[in-house]
Amino acid sequence: MIQKHLILIDEQPQATTLEKIKNILKKDGIELIYKEINPVSYQKRDASGNLDFDTENFKKAIIEIEYFKTSGLILCDYNLIAEVVNGYDVIKIIRELNYNNSKKIFLYSAKIEGVISDILTKETDFEKQKESLAKLIDYNIEFIKRDGYDQEVIKHIKKELEFDFETELIRWFHKRNHDTFNYLFPKYEGKSFGAIAIELESKNPISVEFKKELIEQIISYLSNLNDLQNA
């Protein structure tokens, strides 16, 4: 069975829906492994006794999910804890933790139509609104309705089944997160595999050079093996 991973953040339990999704995917040979996080568990009181959100402990909980960096999909409800934290705040935190920016994060709400304007109108200054819009685009969010989000999840996971060499390469670097790289590519010498995975996700010139070099080395290695077998 092919394994797929999902993380969901909601203040209301979603186990029934997640099990429904899991059972449907199972029929297609997909094992869904998921983790629910309830932001209510990360409420705290500030020095004045007002309700606040414990961002640091929330970050820790996210990072400690073994498959966080390689999760195929993260979903988040928009309406979490009124006047304390909403789904867009959570997505900002997740992006700060270097979740692959090429992967969409699903943000759902019963009134999704008003979410974008709600996010932008929090800023009254025009320049700040433009900045907020740029960030909104950069965060790569898929806005979906709460009712029927299970169908969107199923469709997205099935679509992800196609093999992608770059995605698989990054997944393995994240999997060996704490190993140190000391071979093949001097520019990455001494870096952790996890740090290299983030570089590969960024698609900067050095990471592109590394991927080309890696392919060349693999082909060279396979050619050498072939020559040995034919000797």
Side-chain angles (χ1 to χ4, degrees):
M1 253 190 190
I2 298 169
Q3 283 190 347
K4 290 290 177 180
H5 300 90
L6 179 151
I7 298 168
L8 183 143
I9 299 116
D10 200 320
E11 86 288 4
Q12 298 178 24
Q14 297 296 306
T16 301
T17 302
L18 290 171
E19 281 299 311
K20 175 187 171 184
I21 294 170
K22 182 171 184 172
N23 291 332
I24 290 171
L25 290 173
K26 190 175 182 180
K27 295 174 185 176
D28 289 307
I30 303 167
E31 180 189 7
L32 181 66
I33 298 169
Y34 64 81
K35 173 76 174 178
E36 280 189 84
I37 294 184
N38 189 335
V40 173
S41 303
Y42 302 92
Q43 293 180 114
K44 67 175 184 178
R45 296 282 176 183
D46 63 19
S48 302
N50 299 315
L51 201 59
D52 198 4
F53 188 62
D54 193 340
T55 302
E56 291 309 310
N57 272 328
F58 179 77
K59 283 181 179 180
K60 185 179 177 184
I62 293 284
I63 291 170
E64 286 178 349
I65 299 173
E66 183 183 357
Y67 48 81
F68 162 56
K69 289 292 180 67
T70 57
S71 177
L73 183 58
I74 295 178
L75 297 98
C76 187
D77 182 25
Y78 180 69
N79 302 295
L80 297 175
I81 308 171
E83 307 300 323
V84 176
V85 67
N86 61 42
Y88 185 60
D89 298 324
V90 166
I91 288 174
K92 285 191 282 187
I93 292 169
I94 290 169
R95 289 303 187 197
E96 286 169 8
L97 293 174
N98 292 312
Y99 179 66
N100 190 341
N101 211 52
S102 68
K103 293 183 178 182
K104 287 184 180 295
I105 297 177
F106 282 18
L107 182 65
Y108 60 83
S109 171
K111 297 179 180 178
I112 196 66
E113 297 86 354
V115 168
I116 296 176
S117 60
D118 185 43
I119 293 168
L120 295 179
T121 53
K122 285 184 178 178
E123 300 290 352
T124 53
D125 180 77
F126 178 66
E127 290 302 319
K128 287 185 177 179
Q129 283 184 348
K130 284 202 301 182
E131 187 180 327
S132 292
L133 181 58
K135 284 182 180 179
L136 191 62
I137 294 168
D138 188 52
Y139 287 153
N140 196 10
I141 301 169
E142 181 83 17
F143 295 90
I144 59 174
K145 290 186 176 181
R146 184 182 187 92
D147 184 23
Y149 80 75
D150 54 327
Q151 294 305 312
E152 293 295 329
V153 169
I154 291 165
K155 184 167 62 176
H156 179 83
I157 290 175
K158 285 184 176 180
K159 186 179 177 182
E160 256 204 335
L161 287 178
E162 295 179 13
F163 178 80
D164 180 83
F165 178 82
E166 186 172 336
T167 300
E168 191 67 13
L169 176 66
I170 292 169
R171 186 178 76 83
W172 275 99
F173 269 90
H174 274 307
K175 196 171 182 179
R176 302 292 295 269
N177 182 42
H178 298 296
D179 288 359
T180 302
F181 188 84
N182 287 313
Y183 176 69
L184 179 69
F185 195 69
K187 292 177 183 177
Y188 283 165
E189 188 172 346
K191 282 182 174 285
S192 70
F193 275 42
I196 294 173
I198 294 169
E199 287 258 322
L200 296 176
E201 289 167 348
S202 71
K203 300 182 188 295
N204 62 43
I206 295 176
S207 72
V208 172
E209 182 187 344
F210 170 72
K211 282 176 272 194
K212 288 180 178 178
E213 178 74 18
L214 182 62
I215 291 171
E216 184 180 332
Q217 290 289 335
I218 291 170
I219 297 300
S220 176
Y221 176 72
L222 292 175
S223 296
N224 289 336
L225 280 180
N226 196 50
D227 290 342
L228 285 172
Q229 289 177 343
N230 292 330

